[in-house]
Amino acid sequence: MHQPAPPADLRHRTIEAPAGRLHLVEQGAGPLVLLVHGFPESWYSWRRQLPALAAAGYRAVAFDVRGYGRSSKPAGTDAYRMLDLVADNVALVRALGEETAVVVGHDWGANIAATSALLHPEVFRAVGLLSVPYAPPGGPRPTDVFARMGGDQEFYVSYFKEPGRAEAEMEPDVRGWLAGFYAAMSADTMPADGAPDPHFVDRDGGRLRDRFPDGRLPAWLTEDDLDVYAGEFERTGLTGALNRYRAMDRDWEDLAPHAGAPIEQPALFVGGALDASTTWMAEAIDAFPVTLPGLTAAHVLDGCGHWIQQERPDEVNHLLTSWLASLPG
Protein backbone atom coordinates (compact mmCIF):
# COMPACT_ATOMS: atom_id res chain seq x y z
CA MET A 1 0.00 0.00 0.00
CA HIS A 2 1.52 3.31 -1.07
CA GLN A 3 1.08 6.27 1.26
CA PRO A 4 1.94 9.88 0.45
CA ALA A 5 5.23 11.05 1.93
CA PRO A 6 4.60 13.52 4.78
CA PRO A 7 6.35 16.88 4.86
CA ALA A 8 9.87 16.57 6.23
CA ASP A 9 9.16 18.85 9.20
CA LEU A 10 5.98 17.05 10.32
CA ARG A 11 6.64 15.75 13.83
CA HIS A 12 4.84 12.70 15.30
CA ARG A 13 4.63 12.26 19.08
CA THR A 14 2.70 10.24 21.62
CA ILE A 15 1.72 11.83 24.93
CA GLU A 16 0.07 10.49 28.08
CA ALA A 17 -3.53 11.61 28.58
CA PRO A 18 -6.73 10.44 30.29
CA ALA A 19 -7.34 8.27 27.20
CA GLY A 20 -4.09 6.44 27.94
CA ARG A 21 -2.00 7.75 25.06
CA LEU A 22 -2.74 10.21 22.29
CA HIS A 23 -0.89 10.31 18.98
CA LEU A 24 -0.33 13.80 17.64
CA VAL A 25 1.31 15.42 14.64
CA GLU A 26 2.67 18.96 14.84
CA GLN A 27 4.22 21.50 12.54
CA GLY A 28 5.45 25.03 13.08
CA ALA A 29 6.18 27.23 16.08
CA GLY A 30 4.17 29.98 17.74
CA PRO A 31 0.78 30.16 19.43
CA LEU A 32 -0.80 26.71 19.74
CA VAL A 33 -3.71 25.74 17.46
CA LEU A 34 -5.25 22.37 18.33
CA LEU A 35 -7.06 20.62 15.45
CA VAL A 36 -9.75 18.04 16.30
CA HIS A 37 -11.06 15.68 13.60
CA GLY A 38 -14.47 14.06 13.22
CA PHE A 39 -15.99 10.76 12.02
CA PRO A 40 -14.64 8.69 10.31
CA GLU A 41 -11.30 10.45 10.03
CA SER A 42 -7.96 10.99 11.80
CA TRP A 43 -5.24 13.59 12.23
CA TYR A 44 -4.69 13.16 8.47
CA SER A 45 -7.84 15.17 7.80
CA TRP A 46 -5.80 18.28 8.68
CA ARG A 47 -2.88 17.49 6.32
CA ARG A 48 -3.61 20.62 4.26
CA GLN A 49 -3.97 22.89 7.30
CA LEU A 50 -0.82 21.92 9.21
CA PRO A 51 1.65 23.48 6.74
CA ALA A 52 -0.55 26.52 6.12
CA LEU A 53 -0.89 27.29 9.82
CA ALA A 54 2.81 26.67 10.39
CA ALA A 55 3.70 29.05 7.55
CA ALA A 56 1.46 31.68 9.15
CA GLY A 57 3.39 31.52 12.42
CA TYR A 58 1.44 29.02 14.50
CA ARG A 59 2.22 25.75 16.23
CA ALA A 60 -0.37 23.52 14.57
CA VAL A 61 -1.16 20.22 16.28
CA ALA A 62 -3.54 17.60 14.89
CA PHE A 63 -4.15 14.37 16.79
CA ASP A 64 -6.00 11.10 16.68
CA VAL A 65 -9.03 11.41 18.97
CA ARG A 66 -9.32 8.54 21.45
CA GLY A 67 -10.67 5.47 19.65
CA TYR A 68 -8.93 6.41 16.40
CA GLY A 69 -5.63 5.76 14.68
CA ARG A 70 -2.62 5.39 16.94
CA SER A 71 -4.32 6.78 20.05
CA SER A 72 -5.65 4.55 22.82
CA LYS A 73 -9.01 2.85 22.46
CA PRO A 74 -10.50 2.42 25.93
CA ALA A 75 -13.15 -0.27 26.33
CA GLY A 76 -16.82 0.59 26.86
CA THR A 77 -18.99 3.41 25.59
CA ASP A 78 -18.67 5.46 28.79
CA ALA A 79 -15.00 6.03 27.96
CA TYR A 80 -16.13 8.13 24.99
CA ARG A 81 -18.17 10.67 26.95
CA MET A 82 -17.71 14.26 25.93
CA LEU A 83 -16.24 15.09 29.35
CA ASP A 84 -13.47 12.56 28.75
CA LEU A 85 -12.72 13.93 25.28
CA VAL A 86 -12.53 17.44 26.70
CA ALA A 87 -10.14 16.18 29.39
CA ASP A 88 -7.94 14.76 26.61
CA ASN A 89 -7.83 18.18 24.95
CA VAL A 90 -6.80 19.90 28.18
CA ALA A 91 -4.15 17.24 28.80
CA LEU A 92 -2.77 17.76 25.29
CA VAL A 93 -2.33 21.49 25.84
CA ARG A 94 -0.56 20.87 29.14
CA ALA A 95 1.65 18.10 27.73
CA LEU A 96 2.73 20.45 24.96
CA GLY A 97 3.93 22.89 27.61
CA GLU A 98 1.28 25.51 26.87
CA GLU A 99 -1.17 27.34 29.10
CA THR A 100 -3.71 28.22 26.39
CA ALA A 101 -4.64 27.25 22.84
CA VAL A 102 -7.06 28.00 20.07
CA VAL A 103 -9.13 24.88 19.39
CA VAL A 104 -10.56 24.16 15.93
CA GLY A 105 -12.78 21.17 15.17
CA HIS A 106 -14.60 19.57 12.26
CA ASP A 107 -17.74 17.38 12.44
CA TRP A 108 -17.67 15.63 15.85
CA GLY A 109 -14.46 17.54 16.42
CA ALA A 110 -16.49 20.76 16.27
CA ASN A 111 -18.67 19.51 19.12
CA ILE A 112 -15.59 18.47 21.08
CA ALA A 113 -13.94 21.84 20.41
CA ALA A 114 -17.07 23.76 21.41
CA THR A 115 -17.52 21.83 24.65
CA SER A 116 -13.82 22.27 25.45
CA ALA A 117 -14.22 26.02 25.07
CA LEU A 118 -17.43 26.03 27.09
CA LEU A 119 -16.02 24.08 30.03
CA HIS A 120 -12.45 25.44 30.02
CA PRO A 121 -12.38 29.07 28.88
CA GLU A 122 -9.16 29.49 30.87
CA VAL A 123 -7.44 27.04 28.50
CA PHE A 124 -9.18 27.55 25.14
CA ARG A 125 -9.01 31.23 24.30
CA ALA A 126 -10.90 30.93 21.00
CA VAL A 127 -12.83 28.25 19.11
CA GLY A 128 -13.24 27.49 15.40
CA LEU A 129 -16.10 25.28 14.23
CA LEU A 130 -16.12 23.65 10.80
CA SER A 131 -19.32 22.11 9.35
CA VAL A 132 -21.22 21.66 12.64
CA PRO A 133 -22.51 24.81 14.37
CA TYR A 134 -22.62 25.21 18.13
CA ALA A 135 -25.86 24.22 19.81
CA PRO A 136 -25.81 24.61 23.60
CA PRO A 137 -26.45 21.59 25.84
CA GLY A 138 -30.03 20.90 26.83
CA GLY A 139 -33.29 19.97 25.17
CA PRO A 140 -34.76 16.47 24.83
CA ARG A 141 -32.70 13.29 25.24
CA PRO A 142 -30.77 12.67 21.99
CA THR A 143 -31.95 9.08 21.59
CA ASP A 144 -35.56 10.27 21.65
CA VAL A 145 -34.91 13.02 19.10
CA PHE A 146 -33.16 10.76 16.60
CA ALA A 147 -35.72 7.97 17.01
CA ARG A 148 -38.45 10.34 15.79
CA MET A 149 -36.55 11.33 12.64
CA GLY A 150 -37.22 9.77 9.27
CA GLY A 151 -40.63 8.16 9.70
CA ASP A 152 -40.37 4.72 8.10
CA GLN A 153 -36.63 5.25 7.68
CA GLU A 154 -34.01 5.15 10.41
CA PHE A 155 -31.62 8.06 10.99
CA TYR A 156 -27.96 7.10 10.74
CA VAL A 157 -27.21 8.17 14.35
CA SER A 158 -29.79 5.70 15.64
CA TYR A 159 -28.32 3.07 13.31
CA PHE A 160 -24.87 3.67 14.78
CA LYS A 161 -26.00 3.40 18.40
CA GLU A 162 -26.51 -0.36 18.60
CA PRO A 163 -23.12 -1.99 19.34
CA GLY A 164 -21.92 -4.23 16.54
CA ARG A 165 -24.65 -3.38 14.06
CA ALA A 166 -22.84 -0.75 12.01
CA GLU A 167 -19.53 -2.58 12.39
CA ALA A 168 -21.09 -5.57 10.64
CA GLU A 169 -21.72 -3.37 7.61
CA MET A 170 -18.44 -1.46 7.64
CA GLU A 171 -15.67 -3.83 8.67
CA PRO A 172 -15.90 -6.53 5.96
CA ASP A 173 -14.98 -3.84 3.38
CA VAL A 174 -13.57 -0.85 5.22
CA ARG A 175 -12.02 0.78 2.17
CA GLY A 176 -15.16 0.48 0.03
CA TRP A 177 -17.39 1.68 2.85
CA LEU A 178 -15.26 4.73 3.56
CA ALA A 179 -15.07 5.63 -0.13
CA GLY A 180 -18.86 5.53 -0.39
CA PHE A 181 -19.41 7.48 2.84
CA TYR A 182 -16.98 10.22 1.87
CA ALA A 183 -18.53 10.44 -1.61
CA ALA A 184 -22.08 10.58 -0.23
CA MET A 185 -21.31 13.84 1.62
CA SER A 186 -18.97 15.53 -0.88
CA ALA A 187 -20.29 18.28 -3.12
CA ASP A 188 -19.11 16.74 -6.39
CA THR A 189 -20.26 13.16 -5.76
CA MET A 190 -23.26 13.34 -3.39
CA PRO A 191 -26.55 11.78 -4.59
CA ALA A 192 -28.68 13.96 -6.83
CA ASP A 193 -31.76 15.75 -5.52
CA GLY A 194 -34.57 13.24 -5.19
CA ALA A 195 -32.29 10.23 -4.69
CA PRO A 196 -32.58 8.29 -1.40
CA ASP A 197 -30.92 10.27 1.40
CA PRO A 198 -27.69 8.55 2.55
CA HIS A 199 -28.24 9.82 6.11
CA PHE A 200 -31.02 7.23 6.53
CA VAL A 201 -31.43 3.47 6.21
CA ASP A 202 -34.50 1.36 5.50
CA ARG A 203 -35.78 -0.08 8.75
CA ASP A 204 -36.24 -3.57 7.32
CA GLY A 205 -32.59 -4.58 7.29
CA GLY A 206 -31.26 -1.71 5.19
CA ARG A 207 -27.66 -0.55 5.17
CA LEU A 208 -26.19 2.92 4.76
CA ARG A 209 -24.06 1.78 1.84
CA ASP A 210 -27.18 0.84 -0.09
CA ARG A 211 -27.57 4.60 -0.65
CA PHE A 212 -23.96 5.53 -1.32
CA PRO A 213 -23.13 6.77 -4.83
CA ASP A 214 -21.26 4.36 -7.06
CA GLY A 215 -18.22 5.26 -9.11
CA ARG A 216 -15.59 7.93 -8.77
CA LEU A 217 -14.00 9.31 -5.66
CA PRO A 218 -14.63 12.96 -4.77
CA ALA A 219 -12.02 15.31 -6.18
CA TRP A 220 -10.43 15.96 -2.77
CA LEU A 221 -9.78 12.26 -2.08
CA THR A 222 -7.00 10.47 -3.95
CA GLU A 223 -6.53 6.71 -3.94
CA ASP A 224 -3.48 7.28 -1.72
CA ASP A 225 -5.51 9.38 0.72
CA LEU A 226 -8.14 6.64 0.89
CA ASP A 227 -5.38 4.11 1.57
CA VAL A 228 -4.30 6.13 4.60
CA TYR A 229 -7.81 6.27 6.08
CA ALA A 230 -8.63 2.66 5.24
CA GLY A 231 -5.32 1.39 6.60
CA GLU A 232 -6.01 2.93 10.01
CA PHE A 233 -9.57 1.61 10.29
CA GLU A 234 -8.65 -1.83 8.95
CA ARG A 235 -6.15 -2.03 11.79
CA THR A 236 -8.31 -0.60 14.57
CA GLY A 237 -11.86 -1.43 13.56
CA LEU A 238 -14.69 1.11 13.83
CA THR A 239 -15.98 0.52 17.36
CA GLY A 240 -13.87 3.22 19.01
CA ALA A 241 -15.08 5.78 16.49
CA LEU A 242 -18.73 4.69 16.74
CA ASN A 243 -18.67 4.81 20.55
CA ARG A 244 -18.86 8.62 20.30
CA TYR A 245 -22.44 8.23 19.02
CA ARG A 246 -23.19 5.66 21.70
CA ALA A 247 -22.23 8.05 24.49
CA MET A 248 -24.58 10.87 23.48
CA ASP A 249 -27.23 10.21 26.12
CA ARG A 250 -24.54 10.17 28.79
CA ASP A 251 -23.32 13.55 27.48
CA TRP A 252 -26.88 14.86 27.78
CA GLU A 253 -26.85 13.93 31.48
CA ASP A 254 -23.30 15.14 32.15
CA LEU A 255 -23.81 18.53 30.51
CA ALA A 256 -27.26 19.25 31.93
CA PRO A 257 -25.84 21.87 34.35
CA HIS A 258 -24.72 23.86 31.28
CA ALA A 259 -28.07 23.82 29.46
CA GLY A 260 -28.37 26.86 27.21
CA ALA A 261 -24.92 28.15 28.07
CA PRO A 262 -23.21 30.40 25.50
CA ILE A 263 -19.54 30.27 24.53
CA GLU A 264 -18.12 33.70 25.24
CA GLN A 265 -14.68 33.44 23.59
CA PRO A 266 -13.95 34.65 20.07
CA ALA A 267 -15.40 32.14 17.61
CA LEU A 268 -15.35 31.24 13.92
CA PHE A 269 -17.86 29.15 11.96
CA VAL A 270 -17.35 27.81 8.44
CA GLY A 271 -19.98 25.57 6.86
CA GLY A 272 -20.71 24.08 3.47
CA ALA A 273 -23.87 25.20 1.69
CA LEU A 274 -24.53 21.63 0.48
CA ASP A 275 -23.83 20.02 3.86
CA ALA A 276 -26.80 18.61 5.79
CA SER A 277 -25.14 19.80 9.01
CA THR A 278 -25.54 23.38 7.79
CA THR A 279 -29.10 23.05 6.48
CA TRP A 280 -30.55 20.88 9.25
CA MET A 281 -28.98 23.09 11.92
CA ALA A 282 -29.95 26.41 10.36
CA GLU A 283 -31.72 27.44 13.58
CA ALA A 284 -28.48 26.91 15.52
CA ILE A 285 -26.69 29.22 13.08
CA ASP A 286 -29.46 31.81 13.40
CA ALA A 287 -29.02 31.68 17.19
CA PHE A 288 -25.31 32.55 17.09
CA PRO A 289 -25.84 36.12 18.37
CA VAL A 290 -27.04 34.53 21.62
CA THR A 291 -25.08 31.25 21.74
CA LEU A 292 -21.78 32.58 20.33
CA PRO A 293 -21.72 36.24 21.38
CA GLY A 294 -17.97 36.33 20.66
CA LEU A 295 -18.42 35.21 17.06
CA THR A 296 -16.10 37.26 14.89
CA ALA A 297 -16.61 35.53 11.51
CA ALA A 298 -19.12 33.13 9.94
CA HIS A 299 -18.98 31.78 6.41
CA VAL A 300 -21.07 29.33 4.39
CA LEU A 301 -19.16 28.19 1.31
CA ASP A 302 -21.24 27.84 -1.84
CA GLY A 303 -20.97 24.48 -3.58
CA CYS A 304 -19.21 22.82 -0.65
CA GLY A 305 -20.15 19.60 1.10
CA HIS A 306 -19.30 18.18 4.51
CA TRP A 307 -15.54 17.52 4.33
CA ILE A 308 -14.92 21.23 4.25
CA GLN A 309 -11.21 21.60 5.04
CA GLN A 310 -10.40 18.84 2.54
CA GLU A 311 -12.84 19.91 -0.19
CA ARG A 312 -11.81 23.57 -0.04
CA PRO A 313 -8.39 23.65 1.69
CA ASP A 314 -7.11 26.93 0.26
CA GLU A 315 -10.26 28.82 1.14
CA VAL A 316 -10.48 27.30 4.61
CA ASN A 317 -6.80 27.99 5.25
CA HIS A 318 -7.28 31.63 4.29
CA LEU A 319 -10.30 31.96 6.57
CA LEU A 320 -8.52 30.23 9.46
CA THR A 321 -5.33 32.26 9.24
CA SER A 322 -7.19 35.55 8.78
CA TRP A 323 -9.33 34.79 11.82
CA LEU A 324 -6.36 33.71 13.92
CA ALA A 325 -4.53 36.90 13.02
CA SER A 326 -7.52 38.93 14.22
CA LEU A 327 -7.59 37.38 17.70
CA PRO A 328 -6.45 39.43 20.69
CA GLY A 329 -2.99 38.56 21.96
Side-chain angles (χ1 to χ4, degrees):
M1 180 183 297
H2 172 70
Q3 295 188 0
D9 58 347
L10 212 59
R11 304 181 295 277
H12 288 256
R13 294 175 54 188
T14 301
I15 63 103
E16 297 300 314
R21 68 182 186 279
L22 290 174
H23 165 247
L24 63 88
V25 181
E26 63 178 312
Q27 191 170 7
L32 177 60
V33 181
L34 191 63
L35 304 169
V36 192
H37 70 79
F39 175 89
E41 303 179 83
S42 74
W43 76 266
Y44 189 75
S45 303
W46 301 102
R47 63 194 177 280
R48 303 289 188 83
Q49 283 66 53
L50 289 164
L53 292 173
Y58 298 94
R59 184 185 186 187
V61 174
F63 68 102
D64 292 330
V65 172
R66 67 165 69 191
Y68 288 83
R70 283 173 264 175
S71 292
S72 291
K73 296 154 195 68
T77 57
D78 268 4
Y80 296 84
R81 296 157 58 198
M82 186 62 75
L83 292 182
D84 290 321
L85 298 169
V86 169
D88 286 345
N89 281 2
V90 173
L92 266 172
V93 175
R94 298 291 183 243
L96 291 166
E98 303 287 351
E99 293 296 321
T100 63
V102 176
V103 61
V104 178
H106 169 256
D107 183 77
W108 261 122
N111 293 101
I112 299 168
T115 311
S116 298
L118 176 67
L119 299 184
H120 290 281
E122 78 286 0
V123 176
F124 300 103
R125 62 187 181 93
V127 58
L129 308 176
L130 304 186
S131 297
V132 177
Y134 175 59
R141 183 182 295 271
T143 294
D144 297 337
V145 173
F146 297 130
R148 291 194 296 267
M149 295 180 64
D152 60 351
Q153 304 174 77
E154 184 177 15
F155 192 47
Y156 79 99
V157 176
S158 298
Y159 179 69
F160 284 172
K161 285 186 69 67
E162 182 182 337
R165 184 181 176 199
E167 288 93 329
E169 172 185 340
M170 300 169 180
E171 292 182 352
D173 176 22
V174 169
R175 194 178 192 279
W177 193 91
L178 290 174
F181 191 74
Y182 295 146
M185 299 181 192
S186 297
D188 59 333
T189 49
M190 62 178 50
D193 289 345
D197 190 332
H199 296 89
F200 295 87
V201 299
D202 295 326
R203 291 189 184 274
D204 54 348
R207 305 174 304 168
L208 276 176
R209 70 182 307 157
D210 295 337
R211 300 182 173 202
F212 291 168
D214 293 326
R216 64 189 175 94
L217 296 179
W220 63 266
L221 184 69
T222 68
E223 296 285 352
D224 287 341
D225 293 331
L226 183 57
D227 283 345
V228 173
Y229 286 122
E232 292 291 77
F233 287 111
E234 285 169 350
R235 182 173 55 80
T236 65
L238 273 295
T239 296
L242 289 164
N243 278 342
R244 174 81 289 273
Y245 294 90
R246 296 165 185 165
M248 291 177 73
D249 281 354
R250 184 60 188 270
D251 298 338
W252 180 75
E253 297 169 1
D254 290 340
L255 296 173
H258 304 278
I263 294 173
E264 304 285 352
Q265 298 96 305
L268 166 75
F269 173 72
V270 187
L274 301 180
D275 183 7
S277 299
T278 302
T279 55
W280 288 347
M281 299 186 71
E283 290 185 3
I285 295 173
D286 291 342
F288 279 168
V290 174
T291 62
L292 289 179
L295 184 74
T296 55
H299 309 270
V300 176
L301 306 185
D302 289 339
C304 186
H306 181 67
W307 316 104
I308 189 165
Q309 79 270 33
Q310 299 180 86
E311 290 188 51
R312 303 280 276 276
D314 293 342
E315 195 165 354
V316 169
N317 290 346
H318 172 72
L319 294 173
L320 278 175
T321 54
S322 297
W323 173 68
L324 289 166
S326 75
L327 296 176

